[in-house]
Amino acid sequence: MGFDESFDRKSGIGASESYAAENECIELWQTKLGLKEEFTGNEATELGQETEAINLKIGCRKAGIKLKSINEETRRHPQHPGIFATADAFGTAEINGREEEVIIEAKMVGVNRARHWGDPRDGWDAIPEYVQTQVIQQMAVYDVWYAYVSLLLGTKVVVYGPLIRDLERERAQIKKTLNFIDKIKNRQEPPIDDKPAWKKYLSDKFKEMRRITKKGNAETNRKILRRCELSELLSDLQKERDTIDNYLRAEIGDMESVETPMGLATWRKNRLGNRILKVKRKKE
């Protein structure tokens, strides 16, 4: 289901943004403050929307869900208006001998993200965390106790559920989201992390440079020393890896590969005719 275009996304955090909010994503922070263009979709999201109807139809049939409606409304949390959600669909299903109202979230994934999904019998644990947070927020906003995720995976539909509402986890997620919303309101930057988005943000923020050297504090001194240590360590590790690679190339010689009980090293030609070394550990 596409987001309600009449709804002001900058007024809070939507369910699809919940994972980024919980992890205090600098890109989402920028977007909400109007410092960065909002993501409006791509070919993958378009495919997801175009296949949603058939996904829901097959998923509901497999799970025994009676589809009531495709949702068209974005709704705010009853106690926290800065938190909102747009569930894909609503239905009813027999759970523990009772007919219950359920949310159905339709997802489509490609080859790369298919590995993020586990066996449906594992319930919540089988679903990637970035989808879990979305469904948790939907259940909180619409006050629904059960949910299903209908996953279009290649040429088949896999259904996860019923997923039972976890109030303790819901409260913890809402608390983190509200803290992130406060950071946006106060224009307080999230904690710096290792994401490339931070490098881009700081580069843009400090485009103009004053030729002045400032005095750093004790924490800055520790960071500089640790950075130097890591650079030296990485250099030594790279040299060790290069030496091992050359040893393996010599060991393989004019063969294709060498195998041990723990791993496999392959030295073969690529499409350009160059010999490329690949090393992998065997699965236990």
Side-chain angles (χ1 to χ4, degrees), residues 257-266 279-284:
S257 60
V258 62
E259 184 178 21
T260 71
M262 299 298 293
L264 178 71
T266 305
V279 182
K280 63 181 181 181
R281 187 194 301 267
K282 286 186 178 179
K283 293 181 180 179
E284 296 180 3

Side-chain angles (χ1 to χ4, degrees), residues 65 68 75 77-79 87 89-96 98-105 124 132 135-149 160-171:
I65 301 169
K68 288 171 55 180
R75 188 182 297 181
H77 191 283
Q79 279 82 45
F90 295 101
T92 58
E94 186 177 323
I95 302 171
N96 298 327
R98 294 179 55 182
E99 196 76 6
E100 301 281 2
E101 182 181 11
V102 300
I103 284 174
I104 310 111
E105 175 65 20
W124 281 109
Q132 290 185 30
V135 176
I136 287 169
Q137 186 156 314
Q138 289 172 352
M139 296 171 87
V141 168
Y142 290 94
D143 194 23
V144 173
W145 281 85
Y146 298 96
Y148 289 81
V149 178
Y160 294 79
L163 304 168
I164 303 173
R165 190 172 174 182
D166 184 336
L167 290 178
E168 184 177 351
R169 186 173 176 190
E170 181 181 301
R171 283 192 288 267

Side-chain angles (χ1 to χ4, degrees), residues 179-194:
N179 286 338
F180 186 71
I181 291 173
D182 284 341
K183 282 186 169 68
I184 295 168
K185 289 178 178 178
N186 298 325
R187 300 185 76 90
Q188 177 188 348
E189 293 173 351
I192 294 175
D193 58 31
D194 62 335

Side-chain angles (χ1 to χ4, degrees), residues 34-74:
L35 304 175
K36 182 180 175 64
E37 284 190 17
E38 188 177 337
F39 174 74
T40 57
N42 53 25
E43 190 172 344
T45 56
E46 183 181 358
L47 283 169
Q49 290 173 11
E50 292 297 324
T51 58
E52 185 176 290
I54 186 66
N55 183 350
L56 289 170
K57 180 181 177 181
I58 296 174
C60 287
R61 186 180 69 225
K62 284 189 169 184
I65 301 169
K66 296 175 185 175
L67 186 63
K68 288 171 55 180
S69 63
I70 304 295
N71 188 35
E72 301 289 344
E73 177 194 12
T74 296

